[in-house]
Amino acid sequence: MRFGVVVFPGSNCEQDVVHALRYLGQEADYVWHGDTDLSAYDAIILPGGFSYGDYIRCGAVARFSPVMAEVVRFAESGRPVAGICNGFQILAEAHLLPGALLRNEGLKFICKTVPLRVEESVCQWMDHEPGTVVRVPVNHNEGNFICDAETLGRLNANGQVVVRYCEPDGSLLPGSAPNGALDNIAGICNERGNVFGLMPHPERVTDPATGGTDGGAFFTGIVKRLEEVGG
Amino acid sequence: MARFEIYVTYKKGIFDPPGATAERALANLGYEEVSSVRIGKFIQIEVADGTPEERVREMCDRLLANPVIEQYRIERTGEA
C-alpha cells in the first residue's frame, strides 16, 4: 500500500511519518503542497508541524494550498486521509472534520507522552481493540478541541470519537486532557470513518528505536482494510 | 484605495485562555472592577476603491476568521 505524506512549508514531522510507515512495511512518499495529482496513492497523511508559520490560525493558510483541493476530493470519494497534529488542524480548517483546535487551556506548549484510550469508533485507520490504553506523545500549543453541543452529540452517537485523553488506567476524569479538550477528545473521524484527525503523534512510537510501539496500530487498520478489498 | 478594519474575537461561550489570564493578572494588580477580558485580533486591510463590504465579509468567512469559533466586525475607515 502506498501512502502520500503531504509537505507544506513549515511541516516538520513528515520524515517521522514516512519512517514509521516504511517501518510498518508500507510504501511512503512525500507529496509537495503544490502538487495536484494524488492518483499514485492509496492513502494521504497530513503531518505535524507549523504550516505557514501558523499565521492567522493553525492550518488556515495550508487549507488553501493547491494540493488541498485534491485532498478534499480524495476524502470525499471515500479514500483514507489522516491528519496528525497540525494535519488535524488543517483538516478542521478545511471542514473535512468538524470542530476547531483552540489554544491549550493552560497557555503552555505541551510536549509529553500521555495515555490515550481507544474508543469504539467507525474509524477505518485504527487496529486496536476498543478500550485499549496506549501511550503516545503530544507536542502542541493548539490542541484544545472544541465544537458545539449538537456536533458533540453527533460525534459521540455516531462513534466518531476515536481516541480520548485518559488516566493511566484508562478511566476518564474531567481534567484528563492536558490541553482542556472538550470531552477529553484527542482524535475524531468523519461519519464514513475514512477521514481521521488526531493531536497525538503515533508515528513517534511506531519504530521501537524511538521509544515505543503503541503507534503502529494507528496506521495498520487502514492497511488491513484496503488489503481486504483488494486495494 | 479604501481601508477596512476588522476585529476578530472568539464567539460568546468559547473559552479564551489569553483573555482569562489577562483577567486574572488585572485582578492581581488590584483592578477588582474587571469582570471579563476577551482578547482578539485586529486586521487592517486596504482594497481597491469601490470594493463592497460584502467582499471583505467573504474574505473573513473564508480565511481571516473561523466561523466555527470566531465572530468578526468590519468597519470601513475611509480612504487609505
Side-chain angles (χ1 to χ4, degrees), chain B residues 17-80:
Chain B
T21 303
E23 189 181 313
R24 283 197 299 276
L26 287 171
N28 289 342
L29 288 171
Y31 295 102
E32 287 157 9
E33 65 271 43
V34 176
S35 59
S36 172
V37 178
R38 304 284 280 174
I39 294 179
K41 287 176 202 155
F42 171 71
I43 300 164
Q44 202 173 52
I45 185 165
E46 290 172 5
V47 293
D49 277 332
T51 301
E53 185 173 317
E54 196 46 43
R55 188 95 172 144
V56 180
R57 190 162 295 280
E58 187 185 306
M59 297 177 201
C60 290
D61 287 335
R62 293 187 69 197
L63 179 69
L64 300 175
N66 179 353
V68 176
I69 49 172
E70 293 170 325
Q71 57 193 6
Y72 58 85
R73 177 163 56 85
I74 300 170
E75 282 179 16
R76 192 191 176 99
T77 57
E79 303 308 303

Side-chain angles (χ1 to χ4, degrees), chain A residues 4-230:
Chain A
V5 179
V6 179
V7 184
F8 298 97
S11 294
N12 64 11
C13 298
E14 70 277 10
Q15 294 191 35
D16 308 51
V17 174
V18 165
H19 177 85
L21 293 168
R22 288 178 182 165
Y23 176 81
L24 293 170
Q26 304 304 311
E27 289 179 58
D29 290 316
Y30 301 105
V31 179
W32 184 237
H33 69 105
D35 289 350
T36 52
D37 181 7
L38 301 179
S39 58
Y41 305 106
D42 303 304
I44 295 294
I45 296 183
L46 310 185
F50 300 84
S51 59
Y52 297 90
D54 278 350
Y55 293 149
I56 307 179
R57 292 175 311 283
C58 306
V61 183
R63 177 240 162 141
F64 292 107
S65 275
V67 75
M68 282 305 295
E70 286 308 307
V71 171
V72 169
R73 260 191 285 278
F74 195 91
E76 285 175 349
S77 72
R79 283 173 287 175
V81 174
I84 301 167
C85 198
N86 189 221
F88 182 13
Q89 294 162 341
I90 297 168
L91 291 177
E93 282 284 341
H95 308 302
L96 284 174
L97 290 173
L101 286 310
L102 296 176
R103 185 103 179 252
N104 294 341
E105 196 169 70
L107 290 178
K108 282 191 179 137
F109 188 100
I110 302 168
C111 182
K112 64 176 178 183
T113 299
V114 299
L116 301 174
R117 190 175 83 185
V118 178
E119 302 293 277
E120 188 162 1
S121 78
V122 297
C123 182
Q124 297 174 14
W125 286 77
M126 300 294 281
D127 199 16
H128 304 83
E129 281 300 310
T132 304
V133 177
V134 293
R135 287 180 53 77
V136 181
V138 294
N139 188 54
H140 61 247
N141 197 45
E142 287 87 5
N144 183 355
F145 179 80
I146 193 160
C147 64
D148 60 42
E150 188 201 326
T151 305
L152 179 63
R154 212 169 52 233
L155 290 175
N156 280 320
N158 296 346
Q160 291 177 250
V161 178
V162 184
V163 274
R164 291 184 207 269
Y165 303 104
C166 66
E167 300 303 308
D169 66 357
S171 61
L172 301 174
L173 295 176
S176 293
N179 50 23
L182 183 67
D183 240 18
N184 294 316
I185 289 174
I188 58 171
C189 65
N190 64 349
E191 270 183 57
R192 295 167 83 170
N194 63 309
V195 181
F196 176 31
L198 76 168
M199 289 311 299
H201 289 271
E203 77 277 14
R204 296 189 189 176
V205 280
T206 295
D207 180 342
T210 60
T213 54
D214 283 357
F218 284 73
F219 306 107
T220 49
I222 195 66
V223 175
K224 287 184 184 171
R225 277 180 182 82
L226 289 191
E227 280 170 359
E228 273 169 22
V229 298

Side-chain angles (χ1 to χ4, degrees), chain B residues 8-27:
Chain B
V8 182
T9 51
Y10 284 129
K11 284 180 174 172
K12 200 176 168 198
I14 301 279
F15 182 59
D16 165 21
T21 303
E23 189 181 313
R24 283 197 299 276
L26 287 171

